Amino acid sequence: MDLSSEKIQRSLSKYKFHDVAVEELQKIHRIYPGMKPATGTYTFSDSTQKELLKLTGNVPVKYGGRTYNFPIQLWLMDSFPFTPPICLVRPTPNMVIREGKHVDARGRIYLPGLHNWDYPKSSVVGLLTEMIAKFEEDPPLSSKTTGDNRDPHELLAFVSSLQISDGGIRHHDQPIDKVSVIGGGDLGMASVMSILAKCKVDKLVFIDVAESATKGGSTDLEIFGLPRVAVSRDVAASAGSRVVVVTSNAWSSEQSYVRVVQTNVDLYRGIIPNLARLSPTAVMLIASQPVDIMTHVAWRQSGLPPTRVIGAGCNLESERLSHILDINMNTHKPAWVIGELSDNKVAVMSSAGPSSGAQPGIAPGPSTTKPLLDRAFEMMKNRGQRSWSVGLSIADITNSILTDKMKTHSVSTLAQGWGGIDAEVFLSLPCIMGSKGSTRLAGASLGQEEDSKIRDSVTSLSSLLSQLRI
């Protein structure tokens, strides 16, 4: 691999682990000589930019008895190889992206090897091998074809996207509005009732997980037989859901907080992969506690893109905050509570009113908004979270997904890359919610106090996650 050019040398000199990075690049060249290095400017989701090395080339993928060369691009972070690359498929003009379990609509690649990256056990060579295997199961690209020249594989894909229902043929573009709620406790029951009241659903499945310490809440639903509600103890009943809400908790009597959380992680290991397999295009909404950690765990265990694994997070507090600001202070602007669902959470205000038609965003700088937000926060004191109130919040998020409402909610999401956050943690951030999942709003400058709280949460969440067996 030719690393001798002045641009590449200049870029490599900024890498924290220069010698190790060069060694890894040479290993990649020996196995995949077609991957060519170059420099470029990568733009993160919060609009910040950084000059990085990138590898560009093709990976050979066998599908349907034929071999296809899929163009990919790997951006190497400046802490490579101790952090995973950002991987993208880069379709040529005659190709289109096929969104699936491992690739989102923008071409971002998500693989277990990326989620569980642990150098030196993990390597780009191993990642490319895994990528090829996953692409052979579910190709991320297809050709742009029209008329009689359409590839038979595309015709087969079209046929497989049809479903037979009582009303005849139904295409996936008209999906059944099915929601599944996993967990039989008070929160599960509150979520079911709230979703029925708030959302227009064709079918709602309430699954009482036998291992859950809060099981048993589904019995009365079975007795009274509510319309459009099915009760089950088998996660297979969730198949084909558009939204999967997970409220299960399996708290143990252990004294150590880490062991208590580990009990919940172990419960998730038995249900999350199956839920993702049964509803591969669903949005997974997590309400188990601690919500930021459990959303992170669900994302890793499911293999779904982070845009489709979110937590209820600070949505309830955000709705309460906006209501107080609107009614009591006449601001008429949305506001959100962001960060960890703990004492470290902070408040931010939208830069635009709800009916202005402007793109939603966080108001830059806290100097003018902080007094208002502090007063509203004070008025929110003593408003605890109850099962029914959290259930209403869950129903509100679910409704935005089912109706493709594109409303901005503060939900727990992958925060890496937002506001300069380098760690792989989940925090509540303002996200536009629609049928495809979440889209984060760009980051904004925070005050010193608020920024310090966010950084403290990143540190504590990273520490706790490192002690868990996911």
Side-chain angles (χ1 to χ4, degrees):
M1 183 176 288
D2 185 10
L3 304 175
S4 60
S5 77
E6 183 180 346
K7 284 186 176 181
I8 291 178
Q9 284 294 322
R10 185 170 63 248
S11 183
L12 266 175
S13 68
K14 301 175 183 177
Y15 276 60
K16 301 172 184 176
F17 310 102
H18 174 275
D19 294 343
V20 183
V22 170
E23 184 180 341
E24 284 300 305
L25 288 168
Q26 291 170 343
K27 288 180 183 178
I28 297 167
H29 177 66
R30 287 196 293 269
I31 307 300
Y32 293 97
M35 299 298 296
K36 303 297 183 183
T39 61
T41 302
Y42 185 82
T43 303
F44 293 91
S45 58
D46 63 353
S47 299
T48 59
Q49 295 182 326
K50 181 175 284 190
E51 184 183 342
L52 297 171
L53 279 176
K54 60 181 176 180
L55 298 176
T56 304
N58 298 323
V59 290
V61 176
K62 293 181 180 179
Y63 184 71
R66 299 160 65 181
T67 299
Y68 301 86
N69 288 317
F70 287 170
I72 62 168
Q73 193 173 76
L74 276 58
W75 289 87
L76 308 181
M77 299 296 101
D78 57 6
S79 51
F80 174 81
F82 290 91
T83 53
I86 295 174
C87 303
L88 307 164
V89 291
R90 280 292 176 251
T92 61
N94 65 337
M95 293 179 176
V96 292
I97 295 173
R98 296 176 68 247
E99 185 178 6
K101 183 175 182 179
H102 302 295
V103 177
D104 67 17
R106 298 181 180 180
R108 181 78 178 263
I109 298 171
Y110 303 94
L111 296 169
L114 288 169
H115 303 165
N116 304 313
W117 187 271
D118 182 16
Y119 181 81
K121 296 178 183 178
S122 303
S123 68
V124 169
V125 170
L127 188 67
L128 292 174
T129 302
E130 179 188 20
M131 191 181 298
I132 292 169
K134 296 299 185 184
F135 286 178
E136 288 179 349
E137 297 173 4
D138 186 15
L141 298 171
S142 61
S143 299
K144 288 182 180 178
T145 54
T146 57
D148 296 335
N149 294 324
R150 178 173 290 177
D151 190 299
H153 292 102
E154 290 187 277
L155 292 174
L156 182 61
F158 174 77
V159 173
S160 68
S161 73
L162 298 176
Q163 293 179 326
I164 305 299
S165 66
D166 293 338
I169 294 178
R170 180 173 187 155
H171 195 273
H172 275 313
D173 289 342
Q174 300 171 316
I176 180 173
D177 284 334
K178 178 179 178 179
V179 177
S180 293
V181 177
I182 318 298
D186 290 343
L187 179 54
M189 182 68 77
S191 299
V192 168
M193 295 302 186
S194 298
I195 291 170
L196 285 175
K198 174 82 174 179
C199 309
K200 183 179 179 181
V201 294
D202 298 315
K203 186 174 184 179
L204 196 157
V205 180
F206 190 29
I207 299 175
D208 195 344
V209 182
E211 294 86 351
S212 175
T214 56
K215 65 177 181 175
S218 59
T219 305
D220 290 339
L221 281 180
E222 289 183 291
I223 293 172
F224 292 101
L226 294 182
R228 305 189 307 281
V229 177
V231 179
S232 177
R233 287 169 180 80
D234 185 355
V235 295
S238 68
S241 296
R242 290 190 62 196
V243 182
V244 176
V245 179
V246 185
T247 67
S248 302
N249 285 300
W251 300 119
S252 70
S253 57
E254 295 279 358
Q255 296 300 311
S256 164
Y257 180 62
V258 174
R259 291 187 179 182
V260 170
V261 177
Q262 183 66 54
T263 304
N264 237 12
V265 173
D266 294 340
L267 169 67
Y268 264 36
R269 193 180 298 115
I271 60 175
I272 294 297
N274 286 332
L275 292 171
R277 177 180 57 82
L278 292 162
S279 301
T281 61
V283 176
M284 195 173 288
L285 173 52
I286 306 300
S288 307
Q289 294 298 325
V291 67
D292 299 306
I293 289 291
M294 296 314 300
T295 308
H296 196 158
V297 170
W299 170 59
R300 283 199 183 181
Q301 292 179 344
S302 69
L304 295 174
T307 54
R308 290 199 281 114
V309 182
I310 59 169
C314 295
N315 184 66
L316 174 59
E317 289 82 357
S318 298
E319 294 297 321
R320 287 172 170 175
L321 180 66
S322 290
H323 179 77
I324 290 172
L325 289 168
D326 190 28
I327 299 300
N328 297 87
M329 302 179 192
N330 204 33
T331 60
H332 305 298
K333 283 188 177 182
W336 306 287
V337 178
I338 67 172
E340 183 185 5
L341 189 60
S342 69
D343 292 340
N344 281 335
K345 56 183 178 285
V346 300
V348 294
M349 189 176 291
S350 174
S351 57
S355 58
S356 66
Q359 181 73 17
I362 300 173
S367 56
T368 57
T369 60
K370 192 175 190 313
L372 280 174
L373 294 172
D374 287 347
R375 285 176 58 197
F377 246 14
E378 186 66 26
M379 296 176 70
M380 285 174 61
K381 283 185 177 179
N382 301 321
R383 292 195 182 188
Q385 289 198 356
R386 302 291 184 266
S387 293
W388 59 266
S389 55
V390 179
L392 287 170
S393 173
I394 288 170
D396 188 41
I397 299 170
T398 300
N399 184 61
S400 291
I401 298 168
L402 293 177
T403 62
D404 200 23
K405 192 173 183 178
M406 307 308 284
K407 176 183 174 181
T408 305
H409 297 265
S410 182
V411 292
S412 189
T413 187
L414 182 62
Q416 192 173 31
W418 189 92
I421 296 173
D422 293 328
E424 185 191 279
V425 295
F426 274 61
L427 294 170
S428 283
L429 297 173
C431 293
I432 300 173
M433 294 301 307
S435 60
K436 298 292 186 181
S438 62
T439 302
R440 284 185 335 205
L441 297 190
S445 59
L446 300 175
Q448 184 176 353
E449 178 185 349
E450 289 77 12
D451 186 71
S452 177
K453 287 184 177 182
I454 295 293
R455 302 298 164 184
D456 287 347
S457 288
V458 170
T459 300
S460 63
L461 289 170
S462 297
S463 175
L464 176 54
L465 196 72
S466 68
Q467 300 175 66
L468 300 174
R469 300 183 307 276
I470 298 178

